[in-house]
Amino acid sequence: MADPICSKCNVGWVIHSHDKHCGYCGCKVFDFSVRWEKEPLIYADSGANIHAFAILVENTGAYPITFHPIQTTRDDTILFPQANDSPFEVEAGQFHAVPIQVKPAKLAQNPKTITVRAQDAPSNFESEKSLRLEASLRPEFKLPPNPIEVRYRRGTKKVTKDLHLEVLQGKFYITNIKITGGSILRVGYFESLHEKNNALKKVRLEIDCNQLSDEVNVVKLSFELRGFSQPIDKQVHIRREIEPEPPKLFVPPMNLDITQDREKTHPLTLENRGERPLTIRNIVFNGPSKLVQLPNLEFPINIEGGEHHNIEIQVSAIGIDPKTYPVNFTINSNCGDDPTYEGGLNVNVEELEAYPHYLAIDFGTTSSCCAYFGAEDVFQLIQLNSEDPLNIIPSSIIYHSQPTNGDVYEVGYGAETARTSEIDGPYYISSVKRWLGYNWRRQFPNNLELQPRDVVADILRHIIQRAEEHLDTLSTRSRIKKCVITYPTMFNRKQQEDIKQAFEKVGITDLIFIDEASAASLGAISQRRQQGDYRLLVYDFGGGTIDIVLSQVTNNGREITIEPLAHGGNPKYGGDDVTQAIVDFVLAEFGQRIERESLNLRYKIPYLSPREIWQSLGDQREDRAKLFNTSRLYNGAEELKKELSDEDEANRDFPLNVIVGNDTRPLENLTRGDINVSISKEQLHSLVANELRQTFADIDAMIRENGGHLPEIVILAGQSSKMPMVKEMMTTHFQQEYQTDDIDIELSDSPKECVAIGAAQYGMTHSSPSRVRFEIKNFRKTHASIGIMQSDGRQLVFEEIIPKGRLIPDESFGRVNILLSEGETNIDIRERFRTNDELSRIDDYTLTLPENIPREALQNACLKMAVKENGEIKVVALVDNHEYESTVERREPEFVNEI
């Protein structure tokens, strides 16, 4: 063979006979390969008679190769559809395809070998290559894991799972996989040869989660294999498990509406929209200071899956201007997706409008209530405390030495509950109304400096706040800006001025004053709705005073006209005094028992009277005994008084402490265990009869001053009028004094409430007169005579200028001659309710006159006095036809320690 030229490198490189590779490009000089065009997979039971294949003979050498005809075994297992009896040549780098046909049935009995031989091959090269052809076993495989466990979170649309295709026997190619069943969307597979021990082969399933049910889901996969006419079916079982949703915090959006200067609570809802427990680690609010605050919470807060938890957040718009405030908050939790929740809300602070009517407040010595003009034009009481269905609270207060939640004091039932506290008990105050017009030297905690009017202001503030909260529930969101205030008929001007100043401290300056008895008259008249003309006497027996008013009432069926004719009463006696009389009775009873058992024993039963200022004695033992005994004495006396309203006799145990020398002993040790006291109606009657008879004398004087006409109706008002003896004594008095049984004497349907209701009606005559069906005629009159102190040459005497019972302002004026001097002159103005009453000094009035006034004019001067519409007293000097107004300075109340 001549030396050839390498055809692959194309540079004319000569290849010698002894070379195996081209010295330039490195290719084999002589080489070829034999392979299947498509690898045959023949199965004996495939169902086909003949399979067609092609053998590819490729010349991978450097120059052409001639091949002998392809040789096989000498039976008809393998057939050549084309001529195979001549050699064939294959150029370098080319291939030659030889088609063959195979009979699977015969091949299964005996595998065959196909041999390809090259002609004239160099001695040092391989000249023969073969292919083995055999029938494969039927394909057998499985798809572990089966069943498939699919775990996913709720809301997942699809998941992907891999199955291992484990070949048990045979080998095969997958040409297609068909799906029967709705839960598998697609199947992914490898198109390479699958045979035993090939663990890398997988079938990937894309599963539709929405199609899975709680039962076992069955899907059929039909595997189509190359060379295998029938598909192989496999069932795949799918079990689903929906994973519990991780904790997911959701806070519903919210906007808070609150009225200016109001406080409220609002639920902040924390929802766990997951299924696993949610743990709230902390919550932080950011916004205007104190607008939104959390209560005292203990973290962590755990919320089960699907549950919610409400937190009552505190919203305060006190001192906040009206507008919308964005408030952001941060919640830290165990949420995997978002452990830090950023949220927000809007707080809409609405402007507080003024309540259009007057709030009526009956500030009593022992109890208080208030009324307003409510729905459907009805006057209603405001429930000041949920513990009292009668809408009345005690007029008591206690100041805290250690305020909690910013509460410096408690009013009403809270004060009554805390009055026996060893710490705050000394700062408990009741019957403060009696102290109006005076100052006291009383100790208060935390260096508070308070006078009676300041304490009254705190009680009024509590009442007004409760009233505003009630109005808020009616969606009026109103601030109380004006009030009707009731006062005892015989309250002097200093006491009235103290009430006015107490309201000013609360921020209310628009005030209307009405005496308690007149207010009770209006309330009683509205309750009775009696036709015709009649005279009405209202006897208001309250906790601290007795107020009486005699009125002329005209009712024509359409309108009611009321004209007060006379006022009277006792400004220093009331239900408190009845209770004190029972306390004195109890102490006297125990005093007699102790003296019977132990003659000449020196002992003390300390207690604090309602009108006494608490001052520590420096002896802790006696201080504790005083506080202990005070509570038991007055609570027991009140219970006795109430029980005597229904029973002829009442009794109570009084477990008191007695101070004997340096010891504190239980009372029973000194009375042989007898600590029970009984009191009858007759005994109580004897304790209070004298005081009530004096008020009956007042009634007689009022009747005489008004023509001697008796009242047709007597209404008993005030809490203390509930004692049956009041009506009994009143009935007896009219029988004995006037020999008549025709007077209708009855207890008001609501003895306490009718005062507040009447005051509210009176307020409506000023704010909305068109809504009132009665006319008040000559209602405002002077309740006391007003004059000055002048010398009669020997002593100072009271000279009346404006008599009692004069209409204000039309008749409430007068004049008197007075001797004046140049410069400043102090005018000593006083008032007196009854002839025998002591004179009450009013504020300091000063006249300043020029120096050039003639002496004769000063000696003939005249002093003019008038009560103005607002109740103020105006004093003017008329000198030589010129008027000189006085200046007034409020007289500071005197200091007293007991009233």
Side-chain angles (χ1 to χ4, degrees), residues 603-619:
Y603 69 94
K604 183 191 300 183
I605 304 179
Y607 76 100
L608 186 68
S609 70
R611 305 176 197 178
E612 178 186 355
I613 294 177
W614 163 264
Q615 289 179 329
S616 174
L617 301 174
D619 184 340

PDB file of all heavy atoms in Angstrom, residues 603-619:
ATOM      1  N   TYR A 603     -62.873  56.414 131.793  1.00  0.00           N
ATOM      2  CA  TYR A 603     -62.826  55.789 130.473  1.00  0.00           C
ATOM      3  C   TYR A 603     -63.172  56.835 129.408  1.00  0.00           C
ATOM      4  O   TYR A 603     -63.627  57.935 129.706  1.00  0.00           O
ATOM      5  CB  TYR A 603     -63.818  54.623 130.378  1.00  0.00           C
ATOM      6  CG  TYR A 603     -65.270  55.062 130.398  1.00  0.00           C
ATOM      7  CD1 TYR A 603     -65.963  55.278 129.198  1.00  0.00           C
ATOM      8  CD2 TYR A 603     -65.943  55.291 131.597  1.00  0.00           C
ATOM      9  CE1 TYR A 603     -67.268  55.698 129.213  1.00  0.00           C
ATOM     10  CE2 TYR A 603     -67.252  55.721 131.605  1.00  0.00           C
ATOM     11  CZ  TYR A 603     -67.919  55.925 130.410  1.00  0.00           C
ATOM     12  OH  TYR A 603     -69.217  56.360 130.413  1.00  0.00           O
ATOM     13  N   LYS A 604     -62.952  56.449 128.167  1.00  0.00           N
ATOM     14  CA  LYS A 604     -63.248  57.319 127.033  1.00  0.00           C
ATOM     15  C   LYS A 604     -63.634  56.440 125.839  1.00  0.00           C
ATOM     16  O   LYS A 604     -62.973  55.438 125.572  1.00  0.00           O
ATOM     17  CB  LYS A 604     -62.030  58.170 126.676  1.00  0.00           C
ATOM     18  CG  LYS A 604     -62.277  59.171 125.545  1.00  0.00           C
ATOM     19  CD  LYS A 604     -60.974  59.794 125.059  1.00  0.00           C
ATOM     20  CE  LYS A 604     -60.256  60.524 126.171  1.00  0.00           C
ATOM     21  NZ  LYS A 604     -59.020  61.187 125.667  1.00  0.00           N
ATOM     22  N   ILE A 605     -64.738  56.821 125.168  1.00  0.00           N
ATOM     23  CA  ILE A 605     -65.111  56.168 123.903  1.00  0.00           C
ATOM     24  C   ILE A 605     -64.869  57.201 122.810  1.00  0.00           C
ATOM     25  O   ILE A 605     -65.738  58.002 122.474  1.00  0.00           O
ATOM     26  CB  ILE A 605     -66.580  55.708 123.908  1.00  0.00           C
ATOM     27  CG1 ILE A 605     -66.860  54.774 125.093  1.00  0.00           C
ATOM     28  CG2 ILE A 605     -66.916  54.993 122.583  1.00  0.00           C
ATOM     29  CD1 ILE A 605     -68.295  54.300 125.180  1.00  0.00           C
ATOM     30  N   PRO A 606     -63.644  57.221 122.243  1.00  0.00           N
ATOM     31  CA  PRO A 606     -63.324  58.272 121.263  1.00  0.00           C
ATOM     32  C   PRO A 606     -64.019  58.032 119.918  1.00  0.00           C
ATOM     33  O   PRO A 606     -64.157  56.895 119.473  1.00  0.00           O
ATOM     34  CB  PRO A 606     -61.806  58.160 121.129  1.00  0.00           C
ATOM     35  CG  PRO A 606     -61.504  56.744 121.452  1.00  0.00           C
ATOM     36  CD  PRO A 606     -62.525  56.304 122.466  1.00  0.00           C
ATOM     37  N   TYR A 607     -64.460  59.101 119.291  1.00  0.00           N
ATOM     38  CA  TYR A 607     -65.007  59.029 117.928  1.00  0.00           C
ATOM     39  C   TYR A 607     -64.933  60.418 117.337  1.00  0.00           C
ATOM     40  O   TYR A 607     -64.696  61.411 118.047  1.00  0.00           O
ATOM     41  CB  TYR A 607     -66.437  58.494 117.937  1.00  0.00           C
ATOM     42  CG  TYR A 607     -67.480  59.482 118.400  1.00  0.00           C
ATOM     43  CD1 TYR A 607     -68.274  60.172 117.485  1.00  0.00           C
ATOM     44  CD2 TYR A 607     -67.678  59.734 119.761  1.00  0.00           C
ATOM     45  CE1 TYR A 607     -69.220  61.082 117.901  1.00  0.00           C
ATOM     46  CE2 TYR A 607     -68.621  60.643 120.194  1.00  0.00           C
ATOM     47  CZ  TYR A 607     -69.388  61.317 119.253  1.00  0.00           C
ATOM     48  OH  TYR A 607     -70.325  62.231 119.670  1.00  0.00           O
ATOM     49  N   LEU A 608     -65.147  60.483 116.037  1.00  0.00           N
ATOM     50  CA  LEU A 608     -65.037  61.741 115.307  1.00  0.00           C
ATOM     51  C   LEU A 608     -66.419  62.161 114.849  1.00  0.00           C
ATOM     52  O   LEU A 608     -67.048  61.481 114.037  1.00  0.00           O
ATOM     53  CB  LEU A 608     -64.103  61.562 114.095  1.00  0.00           C
ATOM     54  CG  LEU A 608     -63.746  62.815 113.292  1.00  0.00           C
ATOM     55  CD1 LEU A 608     -62.864  63.737 114.125  1.00  0.00           C
ATOM     56  CD2 LEU A 608     -63.029  62.420 112.006  1.00  0.00           C
ATOM     57  N   SER A 609     -66.904  63.288 115.357  1.00  0.00           N
ATOM     58  CA  SER A 609     -68.224  63.761 114.942  1.00  0.00           C
ATOM     59  C   SER A 609     -68.140  64.310 113.512  1.00  0.00           C
ATOM     60  O   SER A 609     -67.070  64.723 113.059  1.00  0.00           O
ATOM     61  CB  SER A 609     -68.713  64.856 115.893  1.00  0.00           C
ATOM     62  OG  SER A 609     -67.957  66.036 115.720  1.00  0.00           O
ATOM     63  N   PRO A 610     -69.256  64.342 112.790  1.00  0.00           N
ATOM     64  CA  PRO A 610     -69.232  64.778 111.378  1.00  0.00           C
ATOM     65  C   PRO A 610     -68.737  66.213 111.214  1.00  0.00           C
ATOM     66  O   PRO A 610     -68.207  66.570 110.169  1.00  0.00           O
ATOM     67  CB  PRO A 610     -70.684  64.644 110.932  1.00  0.00           C
ATOM     68  CG  PRO A 610     -71.291  63.667 111.864  1.00  0.00           C
ATOM     69  CD  PRO A 610     -70.596  63.882 113.181  1.00  0.00           C
ATOM     70  N   ARG A 611     -68.905  67.045 112.222  1.00  0.00           N
ATOM     71  CA  ARG A 611     -68.535  68.458 112.091  1.00  0.00           C
ATOM     72  C   ARG A 611     -67.205  68.765 112.775  1.00  0.00           C
ATOM     73  O   ARG A 611     -66.837  69.918 112.925  1.00  0.00           O
ATOM     74  CB  ARG A 611     -69.639  69.324 112.679  1.00  0.00           C
ATOM     75  CG  ARG A 611     -71.001  69.038 112.063  1.00  0.00           C
ATOM     76  CD  ARG A 611     -72.091  69.835 112.713  1.00  0.00           C
ATOM     77  NE  ARG A 611     -73.405  69.269 112.414  1.00  0.00           N
ATOM     78  CZ  ARG A 611     -74.540  69.756 112.894  1.00  0.00           C
ATOM     79  NH1 ARG A 611     -74.519  70.812 113.689  1.00  0.00           N
ATOM     80  NH2 ARG A 611     -75.691  69.198 112.593  1.00  0.00           N
ATOM     81  N   GLU A 612     -66.516  67.718 113.154  1.00  0.00           N
ATOM     82  CA  GLU A 612     -65.231  67.897 113.829  1.00  0.00           C
ATOM     83  C   GLU A 612     -64.097  67.649 112.841  1.00  0.00           C
ATOM     84  O   GLU A 612     -64.149  66.724 112.032  1.00  0.00           O
ATOM     85  CB  GLU A 612     -65.127  66.905 114.998  1.00  0.00           C
ATOM     86  CG  GLU A 612     -63.816  66.960 115.747  1.00  0.00           C
ATOM     87  CD  GLU A 612     -63.711  65.871 116.797  1.00  0.00           C
ATOM     88  OE1 GLU A 612     -64.723  65.142 116.988  1.00  0.00           O
ATOM     89  OE2 GLU A 612     -62.641  65.721 117.389  1.00  0.00           O
ATOM     90  N   ILE A 613     -63.066  68.464 112.915  1.00  0.00           N
ATOM     91  CA  ILE A 613     -61.909  68.300 112.046  1.00  0.00           C
ATOM     92  C   ILE A 613     -60.981  67.260 112.636  1.00  0.00           C
ATOM     93  O   ILE A 613     -60.625  67.314 113.815  1.00  0.00           O
ATOM     94  CB  ILE A 613     -61.168  69.636 111.870  1.00  0.00           C
ATOM     95  CG1 ILE A 613     -62.051  70.630 111.104  1.00  0.00           C
ATOM     96  CG2 ILE A 613     -59.856  69.447 111.130  1.00  0.00           C
ATOM     97  CD1 ILE A 613     -61.446  71.990 110.951  1.00  0.00           C
ATOM     98  N   TRP A 614     -60.587  66.292 111.807  1.00  0.00           N
ATOM     99  CA  TRP A 614     -59.664  65.256 112.280  1.00  0.00           C
ATOM    100  C   TRP A 614     -58.272  65.850 112.516  1.00  0.00           C
ATOM    101  O   TRP A 614     -57.698  66.501 111.652  1.00  0.00           O
ATOM    102  CB  TRP A 614     -59.558  64.124 111.262  1.00  0.00           C
ATOM    103  CG  TRP A 614     -58.339  63.266 111.492  1.00  0.00           C
ATOM    104  CD1 TRP A 614     -57.140  63.371 110.882  1.00  0.00           C
ATOM    105  CD2 TRP A 614     -58.232  62.187 112.416  1.00  0.00           C
ATOM    106  NE1 TRP A 614     -56.274  62.428 111.364  1.00  0.00           N
ATOM    107  CE2 TRP A 614     -56.908  61.686 112.305  1.00  0.00           C
ATOM    108  CE3 TRP A 614     -59.107  61.610 113.328  1.00  0.00           C
ATOM    109  CZ2 TRP A 614     -56.454  60.620 113.080  1.00  0.00           C
ATOM    110  CZ3 TRP A 614     -58.653  60.546 114.083  1.00  0.00           C
ATOM    111  CH2 TRP A 614     -57.344  60.061 113.969  1.00  0.00           C
ATOM    112  N   GLN A 615     -57.782  65.626 113.696  1.00  0.00           N
ATOM    113  CA  GLN A 615     -56.408  65.979 114.024  1.00  0.00           C
ATOM    114  C   GLN A 615     -55.856  64.871 114.912  1.00  0.00           C
ATOM    115  O   GLN A 615     -56.460  64.528 115.935  1.00  0.00           O
ATOM    116  CB  GLN A 615     -56.332  67.325 114.756  1.00  0.00           C
ATOM    117  CG  GLN A 615     -56.650  68.520 113.861  1.00  0.00           C
ATOM    118  CD  GLN A 615     -56.601  69.836 114.611  1.00  0.00           C
ATOM    119  OE1 GLN A 615     -56.890  69.883 115.800  1.00  0.00           O
ATOM    120  NE2 GLN A 615     -56.232  70.908 113.919  1.00  0.00           N
ATOM    121  N   SER A 616     -54.738  64.303 114.496  1.00  0.00           N
ATOM    122  CA  SER A 616     -54.150  63.217 115.267  1.00  0.00           C
ATOM    123  C   SER A 616     -53.771  63.706 116.660  1.00  0.00           C
ATOM    124  O   SER A 616     -53.255  64.816 116.842  1.00  0.00           O
ATOM    125  CB  SER A 616     -52.909  62.676 114.550  1.00  0.00           C
ATOM    126  OG  SER A 616     -52.259  61.724 115.364  1.00  0.00           O
ATOM    127  N   LEU A 617     -54.036  62.861 117.650  1.00  0.00           N
ATOM    128  CA  LEU A 617     -53.702  63.186 119.038  1.00  0.00           C
ATOM    129  C   LEU A 617     -52.274  62.800 119.387  1.00  0.00           C
ATOM    130  O   LEU A 617     -51.827  63.016 120.509  1.00  0.00           O
ATOM    131  CB  LEU A 617     -54.677  62.477 119.979  1.00  0.00           C
ATOM    132  CG  LEU A 617     -56.162  62.836 119.776  1.00  0.00           C
ATOM    133  CD1 LEU A 617     -57.038  61.966 120.657  1.00  0.00           C
ATOM    134  CD2 LEU A 617     -56.390  64.302 120.084  1.00  0.00           C
ATOM    135  N   GLY A 618     -51.583  62.196 118.423  1.00  0.00           N
ATOM    136  CA  GLY A 618     -50.222  61.744 118.692  1.00  0.00           C
ATOM    137  C   GLY A 618     -50.168  60.421 119.423  1.00  0.00           C
ATOM    138  O   GLY A 618     -49.087  59.907 119.708  1.00  0.00           O
ATOM    139  N   ASP A 619     -51.345  59.881 119.733  1.00  0.00           N
ATOM    140  CA  ASP A 619     -51.441  58.582 120.409  1.00  0.00           C
ATOM    141  C   ASP A 619     -52.051  57.605 119.402  1.00  0.00           C
ATOM    142  O   ASP A 619     -53.248  57.650 119.123  1.00  0.00           O
ATOM    143  CB  ASP A 619     -52.320  58.701 121.651  1.00  0.00           C
ATOM    144  CG  ASP A 619     -52.374  57.413 122.453  1.00  0.00           C
ATOM    145  OD1 ASP A 619     -52.073  56.339 121.889  1.00  0.00           O
ATOM    146  OD2 ASP A 619     -52.716  57.469 123.649  1.00  0.00           O
TER     147      ASP A 619
END
